[in-house]
Amino acid sequence: MDRIGIIIRQLPVYEREDKMIKLHFFDYGNYDLDIEKELGIQNDVIDFVTDNIQNISFDSTDNEFDLEDNWIFWFKSDSENETLDELNQLISSRIRNESTMKYQITIDEM
């Protein structure tokens, strides 16, 4: 199965404190989604990201419709575009070949 990762860059926003990086993992219909297993990592996603990318800090988690077939992680960074690229490289390099999990990374206004 092909790995699918989506990066969406939004138009520049001049109020820096209102921008956050949204990392969204999903495998709709798989209510036992285990992101750590799909990435082949031992620690949790938050530690994995913050340990491997400089200038990023964790803010919060969420999911769509309160279902456990998707997870959203919100991060802050001083250089969102660079961090977005690093995050995409990190995640895409770790997803198991047979994984059906997808992910999307966006820079969103809060």
Side-chain angles (χ1 to χ4, degrees), residues 1-6 23-28 33 35 38 69 71 91 95 99-104:
M1 176 146 294
D2 292 333
R3 296 181 197 174
I4 296 178
I6 301 168
L23 173 58
H24 184 192
F25 293 100
F26 52 96
D27 188 0
Y28 295 122
L33 178 60
I35 298 168
E38 298 301 315
D69 61 355
W71 289 96
I91 300 301
I95 294 180
S99 178
T100 57
M101 179 181 74
K102 314 283 188 288
Y103 69 96
Q104 181 179 45

Side-chain angles (χ1 to χ4, degrees), residues 14-26:
Y14 297 103
E15 297 179 33
R16 293 199 50 78
E17 62 273 8
D18 292 336
K19 292 169 67 174
M20 294 192 62
I21 296 172
K22 176 183 175 184
L23 173 58
H24 184 192
F25 293 100
F26 52 96

Side-chain angles (χ1 to χ4, degrees), residues 84-99:
L84 184 137
D85 291 337
E86 289 179 46
L87 189 54
N88 182 53
Q89 289 175 5
L90 179 66
I91 300 301
S92 67
S93 70
R94 296 300 308 215
I95 294 180
R96 297 180 316 119
N97 288 334
E98 55 277 348
S99 178

Side-chain angles (χ1 to χ4, degrees), residues 15-88:
E15 297 179 33
R16 293 199 50 78
E17 62 273 8
D18 292 336
K19 292 169 67 174
M20 294 192 62
I21 296 172
K22 176 183 175 184
L23 173 58
H24 184 192
F25 293 100
F26 52 96
D27 188 0
Y28 295 122
N30 177 5
Y31 298 104
D32 293 321
L33 178 60
D34 184 343
I35 298 168
E36 289 81 6
K37 178 182 174 189
E38 298 301 315
L39 294 176
I41 59 175
Q42 299 301 313
N43 51 347
D44 68 28
V45 173
I46 298 163
D47 290 338
F48 175 68
V49 168
T50 57
D51 288 349
N52 286 286
I53 297 179
Q54 294 182 357
N55 300 320
I56 194 169
S57 61
F58 172 71
D59 185 78
S60 60
T61 61
D62 196 4
N63 53 10
E64 293 178 327
F65 311 114
D66 294 326
L67 297 175
E68 294 189 10
D69 61 355
N70 72 96
W71 289 96
I72 299 168
F73 298 87
W74 293 97
F75 294 93
K76 294 181 181 179
S77 175
D78 292 334
S79 55
E80 292 87 3
N81 287 323
E82 290 175 22
T83 302
L84 184 137
D85 291 337
E86 289 179 46
L87 189 54
N88 182 53

